[in-house]
Amino acid sequence: MTEPAGADPGRPAPSGGRGYLRIATEEAFAPPELITLGRDRIDKRAYDDPGFLSLVGYYAGARSERAAFVFDRLQDLGERRLADMDAAGIDRQVISLTAPGTQVLEPGDAAAIAALANDRLAEACRRHPERFSGLTAIAPQDPAGAAREIERGHRELGFNGVIINSHTKGEYLDDRKFWPIFEAAEALGTPVYLHPTSPPRTMIGPLLEAGLDGAIYGFAVETGMHVLRIITSGVFDHFPALKLVVGHLGEALPFWLFRLDYMHAAGVKAGRYEAMRPIAAKPSEYLRRNVWVTTSGMAWEPAIMFCRQVLGPDRVLYAMDYPYQYAPDEVATQDSLPLSPGELKAFFQTTAEEVFGL
Ligand code: VNL
Ligand code: VNL
Ligand code: MN
Protein backbone atom coordinates (compact mmCIF):
# COMPACT_ATOMS: atom_id res chain seq x y z
CA MET A 1 0.00 0.00 0.00
CA THR A 2 1.17 3.48 -0.79
CA GLU A 3 -0.34 5.97 1.56
CA PRO A 4 0.77 9.42 2.56
CA ALA A 5 1.78 9.90 6.17
CA GLY A 6 -0.59 12.66 7.11
CA ALA A 7 -4.18 13.62 6.46
CA ASP A 8 -4.87 15.15 3.08
CA PRO A 9 -8.43 16.40 3.24
CA GLY A 10 -7.54 19.23 0.93
CA ARG A 11 -6.82 17.08 -2.10
CA PRO A 12 -9.27 18.49 -4.60
CA ALA A 13 -11.97 16.33 -6.07
CA PRO A 14 -12.29 16.46 -9.86
CA SER A 15 -15.80 17.88 -9.89
CA GLY A 16 -15.08 21.03 -11.87
CA GLY A 17 -18.14 22.90 -13.07
CA ARG A 18 -20.27 19.88 -13.79
CA GLY A 19 -23.01 20.74 -11.34
CA TYR A 20 -22.84 17.43 -9.53
CA LEU A 21 -20.41 15.19 -7.72
CA ARG A 22 -19.85 11.68 -9.01
CA ILE A 23 -20.22 9.29 -6.10
CA ALA A 24 -19.35 5.68 -6.91
CA THR A 25 -21.12 3.37 -4.50
CA GLU A 26 -19.83 -0.20 -5.04
CA GLU A 27 -16.07 0.08 -4.84
CA ALA A 28 -14.01 -2.76 -3.40
CA PHE A 29 -10.92 -3.20 -1.26
CA ALA A 30 -9.14 -6.08 0.48
CA PRO A 31 -6.65 -5.84 3.34
CA PRO A 32 -3.46 -7.82 2.63
CA GLU A 33 -4.14 -9.92 5.74
CA LEU A 34 -7.32 -11.26 4.13
CA ILE A 35 -5.44 -12.17 0.98
CA THR A 36 -2.80 -13.99 3.01
CA LEU A 37 -5.55 -15.93 4.76
CA GLY A 38 -7.28 -16.65 1.46
CA ARG A 39 -4.08 -17.98 -0.11
CA ASP A 40 -3.42 -20.15 2.92
CA ARG A 41 -6.91 -21.65 2.73
CA ILE A 42 -6.49 -22.32 -0.97
CA ASP A 43 -3.08 -23.95 -0.47
CA LYS A 44 -4.55 -26.16 2.22
CA ARG A 45 -7.66 -26.91 0.18
CA ALA A 46 -9.38 -25.92 3.41
CA TYR A 47 -12.89 -25.46 2.06
CA ASP A 48 -15.10 -27.69 0.00
CA ASP A 49 -16.07 -24.61 -2.00
CA PRO A 50 -15.41 -24.56 -5.75
CA GLY A 51 -16.61 -20.95 -5.95
CA PHE A 52 -13.96 -19.81 -3.50
CA LEU A 53 -11.27 -21.63 -5.46
CA SER A 54 -12.53 -20.21 -8.73
CA LEU A 55 -12.74 -16.58 -7.54
CA VAL A 56 -9.97 -16.11 -4.99
CA GLY A 57 -7.74 -18.62 -6.77
CA TYR A 58 -8.00 -16.45 -9.87
CA TYR A 59 -7.34 -13.05 -8.33
CA ALA A 60 -4.86 -14.08 -5.64
CA GLY A 61 -3.12 -16.79 -7.64
CA ALA A 62 -3.36 -16.26 -11.37
CA ARG A 63 -0.88 -14.16 -13.23
CA SER A 64 -3.06 -12.68 -15.96
CA GLU A 65 -2.89 -8.96 -16.59
CA ARG A 66 -6.45 -8.57 -15.37
CA ALA A 67 -5.84 -10.48 -12.15
CA ALA A 68 -2.71 -8.46 -11.38
CA PHE A 69 -4.47 -5.16 -12.13
CA VAL A 70 -7.36 -5.98 -9.80
CA PHE A 71 -5.23 -7.59 -7.12
CA ASP A 72 -2.92 -4.57 -6.73
CA ARG A 73 -5.73 -2.05 -6.66
CA LEU A 74 -7.88 -3.99 -4.20
CA GLN A 75 -5.16 -3.52 -1.59
CA ASP A 76 -4.61 0.19 -2.11
CA LEU A 77 -6.46 2.74 0.01
CA GLY A 78 -4.21 5.63 -0.92
CA GLU A 79 -2.54 7.23 -3.89
CA ARG A 80 -3.20 4.62 -6.55
CA ARG A 81 -6.91 4.59 -5.82
CA LEU A 82 -7.07 8.38 -5.72
CA ALA A 83 -5.18 8.64 -9.00
CA ASP A 84 -7.61 6.22 -10.65
CA MET A 85 -10.54 8.20 -9.26
CA ASP A 86 -9.02 11.45 -10.54
CA ALA A 87 -8.45 9.95 -13.98
CA ALA A 88 -12.03 8.71 -14.19
CA GLY A 89 -13.59 11.82 -12.62
CA ILE A 90 -14.88 10.09 -9.51
CA ASP A 91 -15.26 12.50 -6.60
CA ARG A 92 -16.06 9.98 -3.89
CA GLN A 93 -15.95 6.22 -3.52
CA VAL A 94 -18.15 4.34 -1.08
CA ILE A 95 -15.70 1.54 -0.31
CA SER A 96 -16.51 -1.96 0.89
CA LEU A 97 -14.73 -5.22 1.64
CA THR A 98 -14.54 -7.34 -1.50
CA ALA A 99 -16.18 -10.76 -1.91
CA PRO A 100 -16.11 -13.33 -0.46
CA GLY A 101 -14.42 -11.32 2.27
CA THR A 102 -15.16 -12.76 5.68
CA GLN A 103 -17.93 -15.04 4.61
CA VAL A 104 -15.96 -18.12 3.67
CA LEU A 105 -13.83 -18.03 6.80
CA GLU A 106 -14.12 -19.76 10.17
CA PRO A 107 -16.22 -17.62 12.56
CA GLY A 108 -13.27 -16.40 14.68
CA ASP A 109 -11.14 -15.45 11.67
CA ALA A 110 -14.19 -13.89 10.02
CA ALA A 111 -14.90 -11.55 12.94
CA ALA A 112 -11.22 -10.63 13.26
CA ILE A 113 -10.92 -9.83 9.55
CA ALA A 114 -14.12 -7.78 9.63
CA ALA A 115 -12.80 -5.69 12.54
CA LEU A 116 -9.39 -5.29 10.92
CA ALA A 117 -10.89 -4.33 7.57
CA ASN A 118 -13.13 -1.79 9.28
CA ASP A 119 -10.29 -0.22 11.25
CA ARG A 120 -8.14 -0.02 8.12
CA LEU A 121 -10.91 1.47 6.02
CA ALA A 122 -11.88 3.96 8.72
CA GLU A 123 -8.29 5.15 8.85
CA ALA A 124 -8.26 5.71 5.08
CA CYS A 125 -11.58 7.57 5.29
CA ARG A 126 -10.16 9.80 8.03
CA ARG A 127 -7.15 10.52 5.84
CA HIS A 128 -9.26 11.39 2.80
CA PRO A 129 -12.63 12.51 4.11
CA GLU A 130 -13.49 14.34 0.89
CA ARG A 131 -12.89 11.28 -1.27
CA PHE A 132 -13.61 8.08 0.68
CA SER A 133 -16.62 6.76 2.58
CA GLY A 134 -16.95 3.23 3.90
CA LEU A 135 -19.37 0.41 4.60
CA THR A 136 -19.08 -1.82 7.66
CA ALA A 137 -17.82 -5.36 7.05
CA ILE A 138 -19.32 -8.04 9.29
CA ALA A 139 -19.04 -11.75 9.98
CA PRO A 140 -22.61 -12.99 9.51
CA GLN A 141 -21.50 -16.33 10.98
CA ASP A 142 -22.06 -14.67 14.38
CA PRO A 143 -25.20 -12.56 13.93
CA ALA A 144 -25.10 -10.99 17.39
CA GLY A 145 -21.45 -10.04 16.96
CA ALA A 146 -22.25 -8.73 13.48
CA ALA A 147 -24.96 -6.50 14.93
CA ARG A 148 -22.44 -5.09 17.41
CA GLU A 149 -19.95 -4.45 14.62
CA ILE A 150 -22.65 -2.64 12.64
CA GLU A 151 -23.16 -0.36 15.65
CA ARG A 152 -19.42 0.22 16.00
CA GLY A 153 -19.07 0.93 12.29
CA HIS A 154 -21.94 3.39 12.35
CA ARG A 155 -21.32 5.16 15.65
CA GLU A 156 -17.55 4.99 16.11
CA LEU A 157 -16.07 4.62 12.64
CA GLY A 158 -18.44 6.91 10.75
CA PHE A 159 -19.43 4.35 8.12
CA ASN A 160 -22.48 4.73 5.93
CA GLY A 161 -23.92 1.24 5.57
CA VAL A 162 -23.18 -2.45 5.83
CA ILE A 163 -21.61 -4.71 3.19
CA ILE A 164 -22.75 -8.31 2.93
CA ASN A 165 -21.24 -10.42 0.18
CA SER A 166 -24.37 -12.51 -0.39
CA HIS A 167 -24.56 -16.05 1.03
CA THR A 168 -22.48 -17.25 3.96
CA LYS A 169 -21.33 -20.80 3.26
CA GLY A 170 -24.61 -21.51 1.47
CA GLU A 171 -26.81 -19.88 4.07
CA TYR A 172 -29.13 -17.00 3.26
CA LEU A 173 -30.24 -13.96 5.21
CA ASP A 174 -33.91 -14.93 5.19
CA ASP A 175 -32.92 -17.46 7.87
CA ARG A 176 -34.16 -15.91 11.10
CA LYS A 177 -30.90 -16.55 12.84
CA PHE A 178 -29.44 -13.71 10.77
CA TRP A 179 -32.18 -11.21 11.57
CA PRO A 180 -30.25 -9.40 14.33
CA ILE A 181 -28.23 -8.01 11.41
CA PHE A 182 -31.33 -6.52 9.79
CA GLU A 183 -32.58 -5.33 13.15
CA ALA A 184 -29.38 -3.39 13.79
CA ALA A 185 -29.27 -1.86 10.31
CA GLU A 186 -32.92 -0.85 10.42
CA ALA A 187 -32.61 0.66 13.90
CA LEU A 188 -29.67 2.80 12.77
CA GLY A 189 -31.35 3.75 9.49
CA THR A 190 -28.28 2.55 7.64
CA PRO A 191 -28.49 0.51 4.40
CA VAL A 192 -27.31 -3.04 3.74
CA TYR A 193 -25.48 -3.43 0.44
CA LEU A 194 -26.03 -6.99 -0.76
CA HIS A 195 -23.06 -7.62 -3.02
CA PRO A 196 -22.47 -10.76 -5.12
CA THR A 197 -20.09 -13.57 -4.48
CA SER A 198 -19.48 -16.97 -6.08
CA PRO A 199 -22.50 -19.25 -5.90
CA PRO A 200 -22.29 -21.86 -3.14
CA ARG A 201 -21.22 -25.44 -3.71
CA THR A 202 -24.87 -26.51 -3.93
CA MET A 203 -25.55 -24.16 -6.85
CA ILE A 204 -22.36 -23.59 -8.77
CA GLY A 205 -21.97 -26.88 -10.69
CA PRO A 206 -23.37 -26.16 -14.15
CA LEU A 207 -22.26 -22.52 -14.01
CA LEU A 208 -18.66 -23.36 -13.22
CA GLU A 209 -18.59 -26.11 -15.81
CA ALA A 210 -19.26 -23.49 -18.48
CA GLY A 211 -17.12 -20.71 -16.99
CA LEU A 212 -20.25 -18.76 -16.06
CA ASP A 213 -19.91 -18.76 -12.26
CA GLY A 214 -18.43 -15.27 -11.92
CA ALA A 215 -19.39 -11.70 -12.70
CA ILE A 216 -20.47 -12.63 -16.22
CA TYR A 217 -23.70 -14.19 -14.90
CA GLY A 218 -23.38 -16.57 -11.94
CA PHE A 219 -23.03 -13.73 -9.44
CA ALA A 220 -26.28 -12.18 -10.63
CA VAL A 221 -28.21 -15.44 -10.56
CA GLU A 222 -27.13 -16.16 -7.00
CA THR A 223 -27.50 -12.65 -5.61
CA GLY A 224 -30.77 -11.96 -7.40
CA MET A 225 -32.12 -15.14 -5.85
CA HIS A 226 -30.87 -13.96 -2.45
CA VAL A 227 -32.77 -10.69 -2.80
CA LEU A 228 -35.87 -12.62 -3.78
CA ARG A 229 -35.56 -14.93 -0.77
CA ILE A 230 -35.34 -11.86 1.46
CA ILE A 231 -38.50 -10.48 -0.12
CA THR A 232 -40.62 -13.61 -0.30
CA SER A 233 -39.73 -14.77 3.22
CA GLY A 234 -41.24 -11.58 4.61
CA VAL A 235 -38.10 -9.86 5.89
CA PHE A 236 -39.49 -6.46 4.85
CA ASP A 237 -42.76 -7.09 6.67
CA HIS A 238 -40.70 -7.47 9.87
CA PHE A 239 -38.30 -4.65 9.03
CA PRO A 240 -40.37 -2.20 6.97
CA ALA A 241 -37.76 0.56 7.16
CA LEU A 242 -34.86 -1.68 6.15
CA LYS A 243 -32.91 -0.30 3.18
CA LEU A 244 -31.28 -2.75 0.79
CA VAL A 245 -28.88 -1.67 -1.96
CA VAL A 246 -28.26 -4.07 -4.82
CA GLY A 247 -25.68 -3.69 -7.56
CA HIS A 248 -25.65 -4.53 -11.25
CA LEU A 249 -29.03 -2.85 -11.76
CA GLY A 250 -30.74 -5.15 -9.30
CA GLU A 251 -29.14 -8.42 -10.44
CA ALA A 252 -31.71 -8.76 -13.27
CA LEU A 253 -34.76 -8.63 -10.99
CA PRO A 254 -36.23 -5.45 -12.51
CA PHE A 255 -36.62 -7.27 -15.82
CA TRP A 256 -38.58 -10.00 -14.02
CA LEU A 257 -40.99 -7.83 -12.01
CA PHE A 258 -44.10 -8.73 -13.96
CA ARG A 259 -43.58 -12.45 -13.80
CA LEU A 260 -42.40 -12.36 -10.21
CA ASP A 261 -45.65 -10.72 -9.14
CA TYR A 262 -47.82 -13.06 -11.19
CA MET A 263 -46.13 -16.30 -10.16
CA HIS A 264 -45.68 -15.26 -6.55
CA ALA A 265 -49.41 -14.57 -6.23
CA ALA A 266 -50.23 -17.86 -7.95
CA GLY A 267 -47.87 -19.83 -5.74
CA VAL A 268 -49.09 -18.26 -2.51
CA LYS A 269 -52.73 -18.76 -3.45
CA ALA A 270 -52.15 -22.42 -4.22
CA GLY A 271 -50.33 -22.96 -0.93
CA ARG A 272 -47.71 -24.76 -2.92
CA TYR A 273 -44.66 -24.14 -0.69
CA GLU A 274 -44.28 -24.05 3.05
CA ALA A 275 -41.57 -21.43 2.60
CA MET A 276 -43.75 -19.15 0.51
CA ARG A 277 -46.42 -17.80 2.85
CA PRO A 278 -48.51 -14.71 2.18
CA ILE A 279 -46.68 -11.40 2.55
CA ALA A 280 -48.14 -7.92 2.81
CA ALA A 281 -47.26 -6.69 -0.67
CA LYS A 282 -46.24 -7.81 -4.14
CA PRO A 283 -42.54 -8.56 -4.72
CA SER A 284 -42.36 -5.54 -7.04
CA GLU A 285 -43.66 -3.28 -4.28
CA TYR A 286 -40.81 -4.20 -1.94
CA LEU A 287 -38.35 -3.65 -4.76
CA ARG A 288 -39.74 -0.14 -5.20
CA ARG A 289 -40.00 0.61 -1.48
CA ASN A 290 -37.03 -1.06 0.26
CA VAL A 291 -34.49 -1.57 -2.51
CA TRP A 292 -32.16 0.77 -4.41
CA VAL A 293 -30.15 -0.46 -7.37
CA THR A 294 -26.78 0.77 -8.56
CA THR A 295 -25.30 0.72 -12.04
CA SER A 296 -22.10 -1.14 -11.11
CA GLY A 297 -20.83 -2.91 -14.20
CA MET A 298 -23.95 -1.93 -16.15
CA ALA A 299 -23.12 1.27 -17.97
CA TRP A 300 -25.83 0.67 -20.54
CA GLU A 301 -28.43 3.29 -21.29
CA PRO A 302 -31.41 1.05 -22.20
CA ALA A 303 -31.06 -1.00 -19.01
CA ILE A 304 -30.53 2.05 -16.78
CA MET A 305 -33.52 3.85 -18.26
CA PHE A 306 -35.65 0.71 -17.96
CA CYS A 307 -34.81 0.41 -14.27
CA ARG A 308 -35.66 4.05 -13.69
CA GLN A 309 -38.97 3.45 -15.44
CA VAL A 310 -40.03 0.32 -13.55
CA LEU A 311 -38.51 0.99 -10.11
CA GLY A 312 -38.74 4.76 -10.04
CA PRO A 313 -36.12 7.36 -10.95
CA ASP A 314 -35.10 7.83 -7.32
CA ARG A 315 -34.21 4.13 -7.01
CA VAL A 316 -31.26 4.02 -9.41
CA LEU A 317 -27.83 5.37 -8.50
CA TYR A 318 -24.35 5.34 -9.88
CA ALA A 319 -21.60 2.81 -9.09
CA MET A 320 -18.47 1.80 -10.97
CA ASP A 321 -17.38 -1.56 -9.47
CA TYR A 322 -13.76 -0.54 -8.99
CA PRO A 323 -11.30 -2.13 -9.45
CA TYR A 324 -13.03 -5.04 -11.18
CA GLN A 325 -14.57 -2.82 -13.83
CA TYR A 326 -12.36 0.23 -13.96
CA ALA A 327 -13.56 1.68 -17.24
CA PRO A 328 -13.35 5.50 -17.21
CA ASP A 329 -15.26 5.80 -20.51
CA GLU A 330 -18.30 4.31 -18.75
CA VAL A 331 -18.47 7.45 -16.64
CA ALA A 332 -18.94 9.53 -19.78
CA THR A 333 -21.61 7.10 -20.97
CA GLN A 334 -23.57 7.81 -17.82
CA ASP A 335 -22.95 11.56 -17.96
CA SER A 336 -24.70 11.34 -21.34
CA LEU A 337 -27.86 9.61 -20.15
CA PRO A 338 -30.98 11.34 -21.46
CA LEU A 339 -31.68 13.04 -18.14
CA SER A 340 -32.22 16.62 -17.02
CA PRO A 341 -29.45 18.32 -14.99
CA GLY A 342 -31.45 17.74 -11.82
CA GLU A 343 -32.00 14.07 -12.62
CA LEU A 344 -28.31 13.57 -13.38
CA LYS A 345 -27.40 15.17 -10.08
CA ALA A 346 -29.75 12.81 -8.25
CA PHE A 347 -28.35 9.82 -10.15
CA PHE A 348 -24.68 10.61 -9.46
CA GLN A 349 -24.87 12.41 -6.15
CA THR A 350 -27.94 13.20 -4.09
CA THR A 351 -29.67 9.82 -4.09
CA ALA A 352 -26.46 8.27 -2.77
CA GLU A 353 -26.16 11.04 -0.17
CA GLU A 354 -29.70 10.30 1.01
CA VAL A 355 -29.57 6.50 0.96
CA PHE A 356 -26.15 6.19 2.61
CA GLY A 357 -26.41 9.32 4.75
CA LEU A 358 -23.21 10.77 3.34
C1 VNL B 1 -15.68 -9.42 -10.09
C2 VNL B 1 -16.38 -8.29 -10.46
C3 VNL B 1 -15.58 -9.73 -8.72
C4 VNL B 1 -16.94 -7.46 -9.50
C5 VNL B 1 -16.15 -8.91 -7.77
O1 VNL B 1 -16.07 -9.15 -6.45
C6 VNL B 1 -16.83 -7.78 -8.17
C7 VNL B 1 -15.07 -10.28 -11.05
C8 VNL B 1 -15.39 -10.31 -6.03
O2 VNL B 1 -15.07 -9.93 -12.26
O3 VNL B 1 -14.56 -11.33 -10.67
O4 VNL B 1 -17.33 -6.98 -7.21
C1 VNL C 1 -9.17 -12.18 -2.13
C2 VNL C 1 -10.34 -11.57 -2.26
C3 VNL C 1 -8.93 -13.06 -1.08
C4 VNL C 1 -11.32 -11.82 -1.33
C5 VNL C 1 -9.89 -13.31 -0.17
O1 VNL C 1 -9.61 -14.20 0.82
C6 VNL C 1 -11.11 -12.69 -0.31
C7 VNL C 1 -8.16 -11.95 -3.14
C8 VNL C 1 -10.57 -14.87 1.50
O2 VNL C 1 -8.44 -11.31 -4.16
O3 VNL C 1 -7.05 -12.40 -2.96
O4 VNL C 1 -12.07 -12.95 0.59
MN1 MN D 1 -18.64 -5.38 -7.07
Side-chain angles (χ1 to χ4, degrees):
M1 281 207 281
T2 52
E3 288 182 356
D8 187 14
R11 182 180 178 121
S15 63
R18 198 185 314 116
Y20 52 89
L21 299 176
R22 298 193 191 96
I23 302 176
T25 54
E26 188 198 302
E27 319 306 316
F29 90 111
E33 291 86 345
L34 172 62
I35 286 163
T36 303
L37 259 182
R39 282 197 170 131
D40 173 72
R41 300 304 188 267
I42 286 175
D43 291 346
K44 291 183 176 147
R45 292 285 181 270
Y47 307 131
D48 180 17
D49 182 351
F52 173 70
L53 290 175
S54 174
L55 178 62
V56 178
Y58 172 53
Y59 286 111
R63 289 285 153 258
S64 70
E65 200 180 313
R66 172 175 170 78
F69 180 96
V70 167
F71 186 69
D72 290 347
R73 282 165 174 76
L74 274 177
Q75 298 176 75
D76 184 283
L77 286 174
E79 284 308 314
R80 157 111 31 124
R81 186 174 293 257
L82 288 164
D84 285 345
M85 290 167 66
D86 290 349
I90 301 302
D91 296 280
R92 177 179 296 280
Q93 282 193 347
V94 179
I95 303 174
S96 52
L97 182 67
T98 196
T102 63
Q103 290 169 245
V104 292
L105 303 172
E106 298 75 10
D109 288 342
I113 287 288
L116 178 148
N118 290 333
D119 291 340
R120 208 55 73 66
L121 181 56
E123 190 184 308
C125 292
R126 277 194 298 272
R127 203 169 290 156
H128 305 288
E130 304 295 325
R131 309 302 300 278
F132 294 165
S133 299
L135 303 185
T136 305
I138 59 171
Q141 294 90 329
D142 170 12
R148 286 193 298 275
E149 189 65 2
I150 290 169
E151 289 241 4
R152 187 177 81 97
H154 186 82
R155 296 192 201 281
E156 292 173 33
L157 304 180
F159 287 152
N160 299 91
V162 180
I163 182 72
I164 303 183
N165 287 307
S166 200
H167 73 91
T168 302
K169 292 184 181 283
E171 294 190 314
Y172 288 85
L173 296 168
D174 52 274
D175 187 327
R176 281 177 184 260
K177 75 177 181 184
F178 292 120
W179 288 15
I181 294 169
F182 290 139
E183 198 180 327
E186 188 195 43
L188 296 168
T190 201
V192 173
Y193 202 120
L194 193 73
H195 183 277
T197 194
S198 297
R201 189 173 43 79
T202 46
M203 182 182 189
I204 198 171
L207 291 160
L208 182 59
E209 188 177 278
L212 294 172
D213 52 303
I216 185 173
Y217 192 64
F219 283 6
V221 173
E222 197 275 340
T223 307
M225 179 190 72
H226 196 167
V227 175
L228 267 186
R229 289 182 62 128
I230 289 169
I231 290 172
T232 59
S233 67
V235 165
F236 293 121
D237 289 345
H238 282 262
F239 305 106
L242 178 64
K243 299 192 271 188
L244 198 66
V245 184
V246 183
H248 317 98
L249 288 176
E251 311 295 1
L253 293 179
F255 198 77
W256 276 84
L257 287 190
F258 183 86
R259 198 157 209 249
L260 289 173
D261 284 350
Y262 184 94
M263 287 300 173
H264 181 260
V268 167
K269 187 165 177 220
R272 180 171 171 183
Y273 299 103
E274 191 54 44
M276 191 173 281
R277 312 306 303 170
I279 50 177
K282 295 177 185 173
S284 64
E285 293 173 323
Y286 298 102
L287 279 161
R288 294 189 181 104
R289 182 194 306 162
N290 295 91
V291 178
W292 284 258
V293 305
T294 77
T295 64
S296 52
M298 299 288 271
W300 191 32
E301 180 188 315
I304 295 170
M305 298 309 284
F306 174 78
C307 286
R308 290 175 57 91
Q309 184 188 339
V310 300
L311 297 180
D314 56 339
R315 294 277 141 185
V316 183
L317 53 151
Y318 173 69
M320 176 179 278
D321 212 355
Y322 181 89
Y324 296 99
Q325 194 156 337
Y326 181 61
D329 58 304
E330 294 180 355
V331 177
T333 301
Q334 291 173 81
D335 282 329
S336 304
L337 287 168
L339 300 175
S340 72
E343 289 170 327
L344 261 189
K345 180 167 181 165
F347 170 78
F348 273 108
Q349 176 183 346
T350 53
T351 303
E353 288 172 344
E354 284 160 24
V355 175
F356 292 98
L358 298 171

